[in-house]
Amino acid sequence: MTTFAFPPRQLYYDGRIQPASSGKTFRTVDPSNNTPLAEIQVASPSDIDAAIAAADRAFPSWSQTPPIARARILQKAAALLRERNDEVARVETLDSGKAYTETSTVDVVTGADVLEYYANLVGGGGLNGETTQLREDAWVFTKKAPLGVCVGIGAWNYPIQIALWKSAPCLAAGNTMVYKPSEHTPLHAQTLAEIYREAGLPAGVFNVVYGAGDVGANLTTHPLVAKVSFTGQVSTGMKVAGSAAGNMKYVTMELGGKSPLIVLPDAELENAVNGAMMANFYSTGQVCTNGTRVFVPRSMKSDFEKALVDKMQYIRPGPLFDNATNFGPLSSAIHLEKVTAYIQHGIETDKATLLYGGLGKPSVPKELENGFWVRPTIFTDCTDSMRIVQEEIFGPVMSILYYDTVEEAVRRANTTELGLAAGVFTRDLNMAHRIIDQLQAGIMWINTWGESPAEMAVGGWKKSGVGVENGRRGIEAWVRNKSTLVDMNGQVATVFAKL
């Protein structure tokens, strides 16, 4: 008999836990040792209908709740998240395989930041419209109206953070949500729903269903759904966006990237190396914005590679709750297989120079040997045509590409169908701004990498996404405009008058 660390997860809608009617379940496991954590019930089509119906019933009241009242509830939820940071982070670590040093300082914290940001934004008049005087006796005013029932489909790499990035602006704007977490990392969803309920969120405003792609497809095509917000890989996102847009639904798509990190000749070497490591090995490389194409001046080749290899000793895989551990396993067995295949392709087919890492697992304690571990890997002397350079690996695999002129580096950096993020390391800020203006991506960093605060609107260009999340612009993705012209001159101008 299998022993689970957590009780089974059922669905959550209409303000309470509800059993699924499908009779189907799946297991979520601890990626560090491949042991089961919990059994998760899968939503049937009728369960999905019920969850969406609950959200639809809750919408009229919630959308008419004054923004300041909505803000107070969401602010309380943010406070509860902060109070329970360590408890929630512990579950995130077990479910995602990320080191506790990361989940306890980043995942819950940054999610709560976004919730607090949008609560404060709407509470302070952030949903107010505009008024324009056309002439002495005529005015135009606008209002921002919520959309209705919205669907959030989460990703497995930042479970609680992504759930909050979606639900915070959605609920703040007056919408209701049915949220489906990734089947690889589902444990956070019920916790978030219960925190929202404790904070005072009315029944039906935030609901949770579980399942794989078929459940997501049913949510996306449901006639009562007004919007779909999806985070995940490009191919799936294109299908979701096509399905939703074909039914005239609003969409926000945060998809993948193959982001360039450009080191300029005058860059401070240690900063550039630290930036490249954070852009490739943080979260075991499972970050959509990672700068996996590192462009380095040919003149810096020897110094850059030496400094990089010297610092690789500071990547420490190991027990996830050990304060020294800063590198966890990959999220699942299927993802380990995918990343390993890319590393093998880089060695055997692309013929890139393996500077560090490669096939096999890093050294970990015996009790972790069954986990989904992969060695942090660096390829150098890469070319733009290599598969490992062109495709998103979503693992700890860095490709170093050398260039001769800055113009060449910028041109090559843009030679991709993706455009999520990009960055520049240099001491010349004027040059940095000129390069940033030329790079075809929606998220930019200068002399840093990866920080994405609540105040910063982020979103991809090209096939990396549609719309933005966070920042003031982020709330606009969850409202629709209503414009009204008021004429107060007392007469209606008409061409249908007696001559």
Side-chain angles (χ1 to χ4, degrees):
M1 183 176 177
T2 303
T3 301
F4 294 97
F6 297 95
R9 288 292 195 268
Q10 297 178 310
L11 313 182
Y12 186 100
Y13 59 89
D14 221 6
R16 63 185 187 275
I17 295 170
Q18 309 262 15
S21 64
S22 69
K24 298 177 182 178
T25 62
F26 64 90
R27 291 180 178 181
T28 183
V29 303
D30 179 343
S32 72
N33 56 20
N34 196 18
T35 58
L37 293 172
E39 202 160 52
I40 316 296
Q41 295 186 3
V42 177
S44 69
S46 62
D47 295 330
I48 293 168
D49 288 342
I52 291 175
D56 190 49
R57 287 193 300 272
F59 174 71
S61 175
W62 180 246
S63 62
Q64 293 302 311
T65 300
I68 187 64
R70 296 200 299 261
R72 292 189 185 109
I73 292 171
L74 300 182
Q75 286 164 344
K76 185 174 180 181
L80 290 171
L81 281 163
R82 296 193 195 285
E83 287 174 14
R84 299 171 191 174
N85 177 83
D86 293 356
E87 171 192 342
V88 177
R90 179 179 177 275
V91 178
E92 286 289 274
T93 287
L94 292 170
D95 207 19
S96 70
K98 295 201 286 187
Y100 182 72
T101 54
E102 180 180 340
T103 60
S104 62
T105 58
V106 174
D107 295 47
V108 188
V109 173
T110 55
D113 284 347
V114 170
L115 184 58
E116 192 171 53
Y117 175 83
Y118 282 115
N120 292 341
L121 181 67
V122 301
L127 291 178
N128 291 345
E130 300 172 343
T131 303
T132 303
Q133 184 173 6
L134 296 178
R135 41 193 181 271
E136 184 179 7
D137 50 10
W139 300 77
V140 168
F141 70 91
T142 66
K143 294 180 69 176
K144 296 175 181 178
L147 303 175
V149 178
C150 300
V151 163
I153 300 178
W156 45 257
N157 58 333
Y158 278 83
I160 188 79
Q161 184 205 67
I162 291 173
L164 286 158
W165 277 27
K166 296 187 184 307
S167 62
C170 173
L171 305 186
N175 303 290
T176 57
M177 174 168 274
V178 178
Y179 171 67
K180 187 194 87 67
S182 165
E183 61 271 30
H184 295 297
T185 51
L187 292 181
H188 65 287
Q190 181 179 313
T191 300
L192 179 58
E194 290 172 342
I195 285 175
Y196 275 140
R197 180 180 62 186
E198 186 176 341
L201 197 70
V205 176
F206 182 77
N207 311 275
V208 177
V209 296
Y210 300 105
D214 56 333
V215 172
N218 285 335
L219 290 168
T220 300
T221 56
H222 199 285
L224 289 181
V225 168
K227 169 173 177 161
V228 178
S229 177
F230 172 86
T231 299
Q233 65 183 20
V234 174
S235 59
T236 306
M238 291 175 70
K239 293 176 184 175
V240 171
S243 173
N247 289 289
M248 300 304 293
K249 301 181 190 300
Y250 294 84
V251 295
T252 300
M253 296 285 127
E254 199 279 283
L255 308 178
K258 194 67 180 176
S259 302
L261 184 158
I262 301 177
V263 179
L264 294 192
D266 71 330
E268 202 284 316
L269 180 63
E270 185 171 7
N271 284 344
V273 169
N274 286 339
M277 291 184 68
M278 288 296 290
N280 280 271
F281 305 122
Y282 192 70
S283 284
T284 318
Q286 299 170 123
V287 185
C288 53
T289 54
N290 265 2
T292 53
R293 294 184 297 145
V294 180
F295 289 88
V296 176
R298 204 173 301 278
S299 61
M300 292 178 65
K301 177 179 172 65
S302 177
D303 290 343
F304 188 86
E305 290 184 2
K306 181 180 185 305
L308 183 59
V309 171
D310 285 347
K311 283 182 175 287
M312 292 299 287
Q313 64 180 304
Y314 303 127
I315 296 179
R316 297 180 293 270
L320 299 183
F321 292 94
D322 187 327
N323 285 335
T325 299
N326 59 13
F327 185 86
L330 294 173
S331 66
S332 65
I334 192 169
H335 193 52
L336 173 62
E337 184 179 334
K338 174 188 173 183
V339 173
T340 300
Y342 271 111
I343 294 173
Q344 185 170 3
H345 191 278
I347 296 169
E348 298 178 0
T349 306
D350 285 336
K351 305 291 187 185
T353 301
L354 182 63
L355 184 66
Y356 190 92
L359 297 170
K361 296 185 177 184
S363 176
V364 293
K366 185 175 180 57
E367 63 270 19
L368 302 180
E369 288 179 353
N370 290 330
F372 312 133
W373 298 88
V374 66
R375 299 173 69 190
T377 297
I378 303 170
F379 288 107
T380 188
D381 300 321
C382 295
T383 62
D384 298 336
S385 62
M386 292 178 178
R387 185 181 175 197
I388 58 171
V389 173
Q390 293 183 340
E391 299 180 13
E392 184 179 38
I393 299 172
F394 218 68
V397 183
M398 180 192 300
S399 296
I400 305 175
L401 303 102
Y402 292 99
Y403 69 88
D404 294 307
T405 68
V406 173
E407 293 75 18
E408 172 202 343
V410 173
R411 175 181 56 77
R412 292 168 60 194
N414 286 333
T415 307
T416 172
E417 292 184 324
L418 305 177
L420 188 56
V424 179
F425 280 79
T426 178
R427 300 178 189 182
D428 186 342
L429 287 181
N430 289 332
M431 174 65 80
H433 284 292
R434 285 196 292 272
I435 292 174
I436 287 294
D437 283 345
Q438 298 174 60
L439 291 173
Q440 298 167 1
I443 307 167
M444 299 287 175
W445 290 290
I446 297 175
N447 292 333
T448 186
W449 197 277
E451 184 178 4
S452 186
E455 298 84 354
M456 182 179 182
V458 293
W461 288 16
K462 300 191 272 191
K463 288 186 178 179
S464 285
V466 175
V468 300
E469 295 180 312
N470 296 349
R472 285 185 171 272
R473 279 202 59 213
I475 198 76
E476 299 296 332
W478 298 93
V479 295
R480 50 190 164 186
N481 185 74
K482 180 178 286 190
S483 295
T484 304
L485 192 155
V486 184
D487 194 314
M488 300 178 292
N489 73 357
Q491 299 180 30
V492 177
T494 177
V495 298
F496 304 108
K498 184 177 179 180
L499 295 176

